[in-house]
């Protein structure tokens, strides 16, 4: 007998929520088979069987909070199940010659045939999709289970053969004609009317917040309540960076097999500014200030389940190509829900880019316990005065720095942002200072 326990979830995470059971009592499982999905504050994890056997009991239900180390299910010895499996086969083998022995048994054979018919559908393809005969991300397996897709029939576009969420989505798009016949479901909107709060008869849909969304909400409120948060703004002329990307992007892509985006420039500029203004690379610990001598830069990514901030480690030691590659890999993992806890822990400063969604100006909220976060925004052509007599349309971007005024003074914050602006407008300095 083996107990299935909630695994260690990493630093600062002591519990999770059972999102979904993938097995039920009586199911036979093998070592490494997926048993349940666990939702934590930061990522979703999958719990696997450490031994083969039969699920004897499930102790906690879906939606319940479970602590690290808590027993949530019990697997019984699989010896009995495996020993019994060959027995029916042996009996069937003995029954075959017996049916040829007597005519009476031959007449009874047709009666046995219908009994064999229900046994044939037993190996349903859907469970086989979770058997692990493919290499797929957790998000891909989850979507396949929801849509009833056999992953063995899904082709992967990943060079190493890993099936991703988008591969399953593309596969499910083809039989989309069948679900079109299901518009019978629109009758459901009438139901919420009876359950509407108060005297209103208008439809309301109640949705439970995911654990991650609850955590995001809690931490954002805490950041505003515990930090003396202030935001300062500036704007950057992106002409030089756009010119470099235009001239170098093809050669860069050919050499490094990754695109030359804006994030590598901003990451380098942030590292250079942090070296000049180290208090923005710190955090408060009681009465002490912990000034970090490393540069692990968090990059905010909007995933389906909520905002996550994976971390680019030792960004000061990375080249432009290495930064771009790291960010691309982390963003892909974030959107396929395959980030590990180690990808999210220990950042020293954060960059967030609302410009990809069209934001022109915003005030980012601190990613506690960090004391600084840089917000990028949309690049927009605006008239800029060149001198007293001339003006030109230039590609301009507003940038915003939110900081904790408890340890960062206004002069330091403004100086930091000006430093970022200067290095972005003169990208050659990024090679020297970033």
């Amino acid at each position: 007998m083996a107990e299935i326990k909630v695994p260690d979830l990493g630093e600062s995470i002591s519990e999770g929520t059972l999102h979904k059971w993938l097995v039920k009592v009586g199911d036979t499982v093998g070592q490494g088979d997926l048993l349940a999905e666990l939702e934590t504050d930061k990522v979703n994890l999958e719990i696997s069987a450490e031994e083969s056997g039969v699920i004897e009991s499930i102790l906690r239900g879906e939606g319940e909070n479970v602590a690290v180390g808590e027993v949530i299910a019990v697997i019984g010895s699989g010896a009995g199940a495996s020993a019994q499996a060959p027995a029916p086969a042996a009996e069937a083998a003995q029954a075959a010659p017996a049916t040829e022995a007597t005519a009476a048994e031959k007449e009874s054979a047709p009666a046995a045939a219908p009994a064999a018919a229900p046994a044939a559908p037993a190996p349903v393809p859907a469970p086989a999709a979770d058997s692990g005969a493919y290499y797929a991300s957790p998000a891909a397996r989850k979507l396949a289970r929801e849509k009833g897709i056999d992953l063995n029939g899904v082709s992967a576009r990943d060079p190493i053969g890993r099936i991703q969420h988008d591969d399953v989505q593309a596969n499910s798009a083809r039989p989309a004609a069948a679900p079109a016949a299901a518009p019978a479901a629109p009758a459901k909107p009438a139901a919420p009317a009876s359950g509407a709060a108060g005297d209103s008869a208008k439809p309301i849909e109640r949705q439970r917040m995911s654990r991650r969304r609850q955590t995001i909400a809690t931490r954002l409120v805490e950041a505003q309540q515990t930090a003396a948060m202030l935001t300062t703004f500036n704007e950057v002329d992106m002409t030089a960076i756009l010119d470099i990307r235009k001239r170098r992007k093809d050669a860069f892509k050919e050499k490094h097999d990754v695109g030359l985006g804006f994030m590598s420039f901003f990451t380098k500029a942030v590292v250079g500014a942090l070296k000049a203004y180290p208090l923005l690379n710190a955090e408060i610990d009681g009465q002490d200030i912990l000034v970090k001598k490393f540069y692990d830069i968090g990059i905010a990514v909007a995933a389906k389940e909520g905002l996550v901030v994976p971390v680019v480690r030792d960004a000061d030691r990375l080249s432009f190509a290495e930064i771009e590659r790291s960010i691309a890999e982390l963003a892909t993992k974030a959107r396929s829900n395959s980030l590990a806890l180690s990808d999210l822990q220990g950042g020293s400063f954060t960059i967030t880019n609302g410009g990809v969604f069209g934001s022109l100006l915003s005030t980012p909220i601190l990613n506690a316990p960090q004391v600084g976060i840089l917000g990028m925004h949309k690049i927009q052509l605006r008239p800029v005065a060149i001198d007293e007599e001339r003006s030109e349309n230039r590609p301009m971007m507003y940038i915003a720095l939110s900081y904790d005024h408890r340890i960062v003074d206004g002069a330091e914050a403004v100086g930091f942002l000006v430093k970022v602006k200067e290095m972005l407008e003169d990208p050659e300095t990024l090679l020297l200072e970033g």
Side-chain angles (χ1 to χ4, degrees), residues 242-254 260:
L242 289 174
D243 179 62
I244 290 175
R245 292 182 72 236
K246 181 178 180 180
R247 290 186 290 106
R248 300 285 187 178
K249 65 178 182 180
D250 293 336
F252 188 91
K253 175 75 172 179
E254 183 178 350
L260 178 60

Side-chain angles (χ1 to χ4, degrees), residues 364-402:
I365 298 177
L366 291 173
N367 181 21
Q370 297 171 20
V371 297
I373 179 171
L374 179 73
M376 301 166 54
H377 298 92
K378 179 182 179 181
I379 300 174
Q380 190 175 58
L381 281 176
R382 291 199 295 273
V384 175
I386 305 302
D387 54 35
E388 293 181 354
E389 298 180 354
R390 295 179 303 138
S391 64
E392 293 182 3
N393 286 334
R394 294 288 183 91
M396 304 299 292
M397 175 193 287
Y398 289 120
I399 55 176
L401 173 71
S402 291

